[in-house]
């Protein structure tokens, strides 16, 4: 009942906002959620609990913020567009305590925020991400994986497909898939039609859940070296691993890790990358 009432309010506020004030800015990737059923479904998937530390990236006018805030009572949000903030605050005023960080999420230090709270509670990050920087946001959040309980993101459907792809899906599998699957259990939840946003985007969207703790993480002894290995392996997709990795390892070490030098990065599973990384770290001179 409380959800129903709050979605009604959000819907009304968003409708009024669009008619009267806010003109969506393309450079900030602004496509606002206006479909109350989808907002409800996303909030249900996040399943917020009182007392949890939720952080929303790009709250916009508060379509997701308000129902989340009503449950957790206190919430941090990171919003780059200063023009939106007064309206966001007013839309959420009676829902709980909103802490707005008016800055670029790519420069935001999640560790500092956690340190300020002086609590062991892990953070839950959510957001209908601006699509122009969504991959950069994922890599930024990756750095804070040790502080994260989970993340729920609205992304372009095509990006979700790339993240969850395996080596059998050559066209979509790549650096993003390997890096995300190495550190997170990734679960695509459901698709979201372009009609659920205003303005209507040109692409379809989907919700993705990422939970740290995939079984590979204990085997990555040097995360920076692993990231570099994956980056170089995919640097020129059509080239063999022998070519792409020539400054990192010779053919003998590839063979010793059970990988044929003539293979391409897109043919390796995450387990292969992890094994190669372990081998390289063990045989470092
Ligand atoms: N959450 C709102 C919704 O679902 O209606 C808005 C989502 S809209 C796709 C993306 C939001 O991210 C916008 O509010 C935009 O201003 C904000 N944004 C864009 N770039 C950002 C950045 N670098 N850091 C933080 N917020 C950003």
């Amino acid at each position: 009942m409380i959800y129903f009432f709050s979605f009604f309010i959000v819907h009304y506020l968003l409708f009024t906002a669009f008619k009267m004030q806010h003109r969506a800015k393309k450079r900030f990737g602004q496509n606002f959620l206006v479909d109350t059923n989808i907002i409800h479904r996303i909030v249900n998937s996040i399943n917020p609990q009182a007392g949890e530390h939720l952080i929303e990236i790009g709250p916009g006018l508060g379509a997701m913020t308000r129902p989340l805030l009503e449950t957790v009572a206190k919430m941090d949000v990171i919003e780059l567009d200063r023009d939106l903030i007064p309206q966001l605050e007013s839309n959420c005023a009676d829902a709980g305590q909103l802490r707005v960080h008016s800055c670029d999420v790519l420069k935001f230090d999640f560790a500092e925020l956690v340190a300020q709270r002086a609590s062991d509670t892990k953070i839950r990050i959510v957001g209908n991400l601006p699509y122009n920087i969504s991959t950069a946001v994922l890599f930024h959040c990756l750095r804070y994986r040790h502080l994260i309980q989970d993340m729920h993101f609205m992304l372009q459907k095509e990006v979700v497909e790339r993240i969850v792809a395996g080596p059998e899906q050559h066209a979509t599998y790549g650096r993003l898939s390997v890096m995300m699957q190495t550190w997170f259990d990734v679960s695509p939840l459901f698709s979201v039609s372009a009609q659920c946003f205003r303005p209507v985007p040109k692409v379809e969207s989907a919700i993705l859940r990422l939970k740290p703790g995939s079984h590979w993480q204990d085997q990555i002894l040097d995360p920076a070296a692993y990231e570099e290995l994956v980056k170089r392996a995919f640097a020129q997709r059509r080239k063999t691993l022998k070519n792409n990795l020539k400054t990192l390892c010779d053919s003998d070490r590839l063979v010793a890790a059970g990988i044929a030098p003539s293979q391409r990065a897109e043919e390796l599973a995450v387990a292969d990358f992890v094994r190669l990384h372990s081998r390289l770290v063990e045989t470092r001179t």
Side-chain angles (χ1 to χ4, degrees):
M1 186 65 192
I2 186 155
Y3 270 161
F4 177 80
F5 187 61
S6 102
F7 288 132
F8 175 77
I9 295 175
V10 168
H11 201 73
Y12 173 77
L13 290 170
L14 289 176
F15 181 73
T16 313
F18 278 110
K19 279 191 80 176
M20 297 177 60
Q21 290 178 42
H22 191 75
R23 200 173 269 249
K25 293 174 189 160
K26 212 173 167 183
R27 70 179 185 284
F28 290 145
Q30 291 179 349
N31 295 98
F32 298 98
L33 267 171
V34 293
D35 184 302
T36 47
N37 290 327
I38 280 294
I39 295 170
H40 196 168
R41 203 167 162 199
I42 297 169
V43 172
N44 275 347
S45 304
I46 297 169
N47 191 19
Q49 304 293 319
E52 286 180 337
H53 188 182
L54 254 70
I55 305 173
E56 185 181 1
I57 299 171
L61 295 164
M64 280 161 50
T65 324
R66 191 186 159 91
L68 291 169
L69 189 58
E70 279 171 345
T71 307
V72 295
K74 266 190 207 169
M75 199 173 145
D76 288 282
V77 296
I78 305 160
E79 176 56 64
L80 182 59
D81 185 357
R82 286 165 194 269
D83 296 344
L84 283 177
I85 293 173
Q87 209 168 337
L88 165 71
E89 286 177 332
S90 121
N91 289 355
C92 296
D94 57 344
Q97 192 184 323
L98 195 64
R99 203 146 68 120
V100 182
H101 305 269
S102 170
C103 62
D104 181 352
V105 63
L106 298 176
K107 298 189 180 130
F108 189 80
D109 186 342
F110 288 92
E112 200 179 307
L113 179 68
V114 170
Q116 281 166 14
R117 287 254 305 212
S119 130
D120 292 343
T121 318
K122 292 213 166 177
I123 54 178
R124 305 190 69 196
I125 308 179
V126 303
N128 169 13
L129 295 187
Y131 292 169
N132 48 346
I133 56 160
S134 62
T135 307
V137 173
L138 288 164
F139 276 101
H140 184 66
C141 291
L142 183 64
R143 294 194 203 134
Y144 299 97
R145 56 190 173 267
H146 54 293
L147 302 172
I148 295 172
Q149 179 182 325
D150 60 20
M151 305 192 282
H152 290 81
F153 290 137
M154 173 94 74
L155 296 159
Q156 240 174 286
K157 197 171 179 182
E158 175 256 322
V159 174
V160 170
E161 284 163 2
R162 278 169 48 207
I163 291 171
V164 303
E168 60 288 353
Q169 285 119 0
H170 278 205
T172 42
Y173 183 66
R175 177 180 169 229
L176 184 62
S177 336
V178 174
M179 287 305 292
M180 292 301 137
Q181 290 175 35
T182 299
W183 299 107
F184 300 106
D185 289 327
V186 296
S187 322
L189 299 186
F190 51 89
S191 302
V192 179
S193 150
Q195 295 306 321
C196 298
F197 304 86
R198 292 292 179 276
V200 177
K202 291 198 180 76
V203 292
E204 293 296 297
S205 302
I207 299 286
L208 179 73
R209 176 183 290 146
L210 303 108
K211 269 181 172 240
S214 86
H215 49 286
W216 306 118
Q217 56 185 13
D218 295 340
Q219 297 173 49
I220 314 280
L221 301 175
D222 181 344
Y226 182 77
E227 188 167 350
E228 187 60 22
L229 169 69
V230 176
K231 190 173 169 183
R232 295 228 197 154
F234 282 103
Q236 289 182 279
R237 290 181 71 98
R238 302 195 65 77
K239 289 201 171 177
T240 62
L241 288 164
K242 181 180 170 206
N243 260 308
N244 276 342
L245 297 179
K246 66 178 166 225
T247 54
L248 283 183
C249 69
D250 53 23
S251 294
D252 288 348
R253 286 206 281 175
L254 284 171
V255 173
I259 293 162
S262 58
Q263 281 185 291
R264 292 185 181 147
E266 64 199 33
E267 295 173 85
L268 300 195
V270 175
D272 298 321
F273 279 103
V274 175
R275 201 175 55 252
L276 177 58
H277 165 77
S278 303
R279 182 83 201 163
L280 293 182
V281 172
E282 278 162 22
T283 55
R284 256 181 200 164
T285 47

